[in-house]
PDB file of all heavy atoms in Angstrom:
ATOM      1  N   LEU A 103      19.731 -36.648 -36.227  1.00 85.00           N
ATOM      2  CA  LEU A 103      19.352 -38.019 -35.938  1.00 85.00           C
ATOM      3  C   LEU A 103      20.272 -39.014 -36.645  1.00 85.00           C
ATOM      4  O   LEU A 103      20.671 -40.019 -36.071  1.00 85.00           O
ATOM      5  CB  LEU A 103      17.901 -38.274 -36.327  1.00 85.00           C
ATOM      6  CG  LEU A 103      16.836 -37.557 -35.462  1.00 85.00           C
ATOM      7  CD1 LEU A 103      15.461 -37.782 -36.045  1.00 85.00           C
ATOM      8  CD2 LEU A 103      16.901 -38.044 -34.033  1.00 85.00           C
ATOM      9  N   ARG A 104      20.635 -38.735 -37.914  1.00 86.00           N
ATOM     10  CA  ARG A 104      21.555 -39.605 -38.658  1.00 86.00           C
ATOM     11  C   ARG A 104      22.927 -39.659 -38.008  1.00 86.00           C
ATOM     12  O   ARG A 104      23.515 -40.696 -37.836  1.00 86.00           O
ATOM     13  CB  ARG A 104      21.689 -39.109 -40.091  1.00 86.00           C
ATOM     14  CG  ARG A 104      20.818 -39.804 -41.034  1.00 86.00           C
ATOM     15  CD  ARG A 104      21.122 -39.502 -42.495  1.00 86.00           C
ATOM     16  NE  ARG A 104      19.867 -39.073 -43.094  1.00 86.00           N
ATOM     17  CZ  ARG A 104      19.532 -37.801 -43.398  1.00 86.00           C
ATOM     18  NH1 ARG A 104      20.368 -36.861 -43.255  1.00 86.00           N
ATOM     19  NH2 ARG A 104      18.354 -37.553 -43.913  1.00 86.00           N
ATOM     20  N   SER A 105      23.410 -38.494 -37.560  1.00 88.00           N
ATOM     21  CA  SER A 105      24.728 -38.451 -36.942  1.00 88.00           C
ATOM     22  C   SER A 105      24.727 -39.227 -35.616  1.00 88.00           C
ATOM     23  O   SER A 105      25.701 -39.928 -35.297  1.00 88.00           O
ATOM     24  CB  SER A 105      25.233 -37.034 -36.744  1.00 88.00           C
ATOM     25  OG  SER A 105      24.486 -36.387 -35.748  1.00 88.00           O
ATOM     26  N   TRP A 106      23.663 -39.142 -34.819  1.00 86.00           N
ATOM     27  CA  TRP A 106      23.575 -39.933 -33.590  1.00 86.00           C
ATOM     28  C   TRP A 106      23.528 -41.409 -33.871  1.00 86.00           C
ATOM     29  O   TRP A 106      24.117 -42.227 -33.188  1.00 86.00           O
ATOM     30  CB  TRP A 106      22.339 -39.533 -32.777  1.00 86.00           C
ATOM     31  CG  TRP A 106      22.468 -38.287 -31.942  1.00 86.00           C
ATOM     32  CD1 TRP A 106      23.625 -37.654 -31.643  1.00 86.00           C
ATOM     33  CD2 TRP A 106      21.416 -37.581 -31.316  1.00 86.00           C
ATOM     34  NE1 TRP A 106      23.373 -36.554 -30.863  1.00 86.00           N
ATOM     35  CE2 TRP A 106      22.021 -36.476 -30.633  1.00 86.00           C
ATOM     36  CE3 TRP A 106      20.048 -37.744 -31.271  1.00 86.00           C
ATOM     37  CZ2 TRP A 106      21.248 -35.560 -29.889  1.00 86.00           C
ATOM     38  CZ3 TRP A 106      19.318 -36.829 -30.541  1.00 86.00           C
ATOM     39  CH2 TRP A 106      19.909 -35.748 -29.866  1.00 86.00           C
ATOM     40  N   ALA A 107      22.790 -41.763 -34.937  1.00 88.00           N
ATOM     41  CA  ALA A 107      22.693 -43.190 -35.278  1.00 88.00           C
ATOM     42  C   ALA A 107      24.059 -43.726 -35.667  1.00 88.00           C
ATOM     43  O   ALA A 107      24.412 -44.856 -35.285  1.00 88.00           O
ATOM     44  CB  ALA A 107      21.695 -43.358 -36.415  1.00 88.00           C
ATOM     45  N   VAL A 108      24.815 -42.967 -36.407  1.00 89.00           N
ATOM     46  CA  VAL A 108      26.168 -43.424 -36.820  1.00 89.00           C
ATOM     47  C   VAL A 108      27.038 -43.511 -35.560  1.00 89.00           C
ATOM     48  O   VAL A 108      27.796 -44.489 -35.402  1.00 89.00           O
ATOM     49  CB  VAL A 108      26.749 -42.443 -37.838  1.00 89.00           C
ATOM     50  CG1 VAL A 108      28.253 -42.706 -38.079  1.00 89.00           C
ATOM     51  CG2 VAL A 108      25.989 -42.502 -39.152  1.00 89.00           C
ATOM     52  N   GLU A 109      26.927 -42.523 -34.618  1.00 90.00           N
ATOM     53  CA  GLU A 109      27.742 -42.569 -33.414  1.00 90.00           C
ATOM     54  C   GLU A 109      27.420 -43.807 -32.599  1.00 90.00           C
ATOM     55  O   GLU A 109      28.283 -44.388 -31.917  1.00 90.00           O
ATOM     56  CB  GLU A 109      27.531 -41.338 -32.551  1.00 90.00           C
ATOM     57  CG  GLU A 109      28.113 -40.058 -33.133  1.00 90.00           C
ATOM     58  CD  GLU A 109      27.732 -38.821 -32.304  1.00 90.00           C
ATOM     59  OE1 GLU A 109      27.217 -38.967 -31.166  1.00 90.00           O
ATOM     60  OE2 GLU A 109      27.889 -37.733 -32.835  1.00 90.00           O
ATOM     61  N   LEU A 110      26.174 -44.223 -32.598  1.00 90.00           N
ATOM     62  CA  LEU A 110      25.719 -45.381 -31.811  1.00 90.00           C
ATOM     63  C   LEU A 110      25.910 -46.703 -32.573  1.00 90.00           C
ATOM     64  O   LEU A 110      25.604 -47.770 -32.020  1.00 90.00           O
ATOM     65  CB  LEU A 110      24.258 -45.222 -31.424  1.00 90.00           C
ATOM     66  CG  LEU A 110      23.951 -44.061 -30.469  1.00 90.00           C
ATOM     67  CD1 LEU A 110      22.447 -43.895 -30.304  1.00 90.00           C
ATOM     68  CD2 LEU A 110      24.611 -44.300 -29.110  1.00 90.00           C
ATOM     69  N   GLY A 111      26.451 -46.660 -33.780  1.00 90.00           N
ATOM     70  CA  GLY A 111      26.708 -47.879 -34.530  1.00 90.00           C
ATOM     71  C   GLY A 111      25.470 -48.409 -35.236  1.00 90.00           C
ATOM     72  O   GLY A 111      25.430 -49.618 -35.557  1.00 90.00           O
ATOM     73  N   MET A 112      24.500 -47.637 -35.480  1.00 88.00           N
ATOM     74  CA  MET A 112      23.276 -48.095 -36.163  1.00 88.00           C
ATOM     75  C   MET A 112      23.521 -47.979 -37.679  1.00 88.00           C
ATOM     76  O   MET A 112      24.355 -47.223 -38.116  1.00 88.00           O
ATOM     77  CB  MET A 112      22.090 -47.219 -35.763  1.00 88.00           C
ATOM     78  CG  MET A 112      21.710 -47.353 -34.313  1.00 88.00           C
ATOM     79  SD  MET A 112      20.307 -46.257 -34.022  1.00 88.00           S
ATOM     80  CE  MET A 112      19.762 -46.830 -32.463  1.00 88.00           C
ATOM     81  N   ARG A 113      22.770 -48.835 -38.394  1.00 83.00           N
ATOM     82  CA  ARG A 113      22.845 -48.768 -39.860  1.00 83.00           C
ATOM     83  C   ARG A 113      21.451 -49.000 -40.421  1.00 83.00           C
ATOM     84  O   ARG A 113      20.514 -49.402 -39.693  1.00 83.00           O
ATOM     85  CB  ARG A 113      23.793 -49.847 -40.390  1.00 83.00           C
ATOM     86  CG  ARG A 113      23.388 -51.230 -40.022  1.00 83.00           C
ATOM     87  CD  ARG A 113      24.357 -52.241 -40.615  1.00 83.00           C
ATOM     88  NE  ARG A 113      24.062 -53.559 -40.128  1.00 83.00           N
ATOM     89  CZ  ARG A 113      23.059 -54.320 -40.519  1.00 83.00           C
ATOM     90  NH1 ARG A 113      22.208 -53.873 -41.417  1.00 83.00           N
ATOM     91  NH2 ARG A 113      22.865 -55.520 -40.003  1.00 83.00           N
ATOM     92  N   ALA A 114      21.277 -48.726 -41.675  1.00 80.00           N
ATOM     93  CA  ALA A 114      19.972 -48.909 -42.319  1.00 80.00           C
ATOM     94  C   ALA A 114      19.676 -50.404 -42.406  1.00 80.00           C
ATOM     95  O   ALA A 114      20.571 -51.204 -42.654  1.00 80.00           O
ATOM     96  CB  ALA A 114      19.975 -48.283 -43.703  1.00 80.00           C
ATOM     97  N   PRO A 115      18.465 -50.822 -42.212  1.00 79.00           N
ATOM     98  CA  PRO A 115      18.154 -52.270 -42.297  1.00 79.00           C
ATOM     99  C   PRO A 115      18.277 -52.783 -43.731  1.00 79.00           C
ATOM    100  O   PRO A 115      18.021 -52.101 -44.679  1.00 79.00           O
ATOM    101  CB  PRO A 115      16.721 -52.341 -41.782  1.00 79.00           C
ATOM    102  CG  PRO A 115      16.143 -51.014 -41.980  1.00 79.00           C
ATOM    103  CD  PRO A 115      17.287 -50.022 -41.902  1.00 79.00           C
ATOM    104  N   GLU A 119      15.670 -57.572 -43.048  1.00 73.00           N
ATOM    105  CA  GLU A 119      15.699 -57.128 -41.648  1.00 73.00           C
ATOM    106  C   GLU A 119      14.618 -56.103 -41.344  1.00 73.00           C
ATOM    107  O   GLU A 119      14.376 -55.799 -40.197  1.00 73.00           O
ATOM    108  CB  GLU A 119      17.065 -56.535 -41.310  1.00 73.00           C
ATOM    109  CG  GLU A 119      18.211 -57.523 -41.385  1.00 73.00           C
ATOM    110  CD  GLU A 119      19.533 -56.849 -41.108  1.00 73.00           C
ATOM    111  OE1 GLU A 119      19.624 -55.616 -41.260  1.00 73.00           O
ATOM    112  OE2 GLU A 119      20.458 -57.565 -40.750  1.00 73.00           O
TER     113      GLU A 119
END
Side-chain angles (χ1 to χ4, degrees):
L103 291 175
R104 264 190 233 105
S105 70
W106 278 347
V108 170
E109 289 174 15
L110 295 173
M112 295 180 166
R113 60 177 174 76
E119 296 178 339

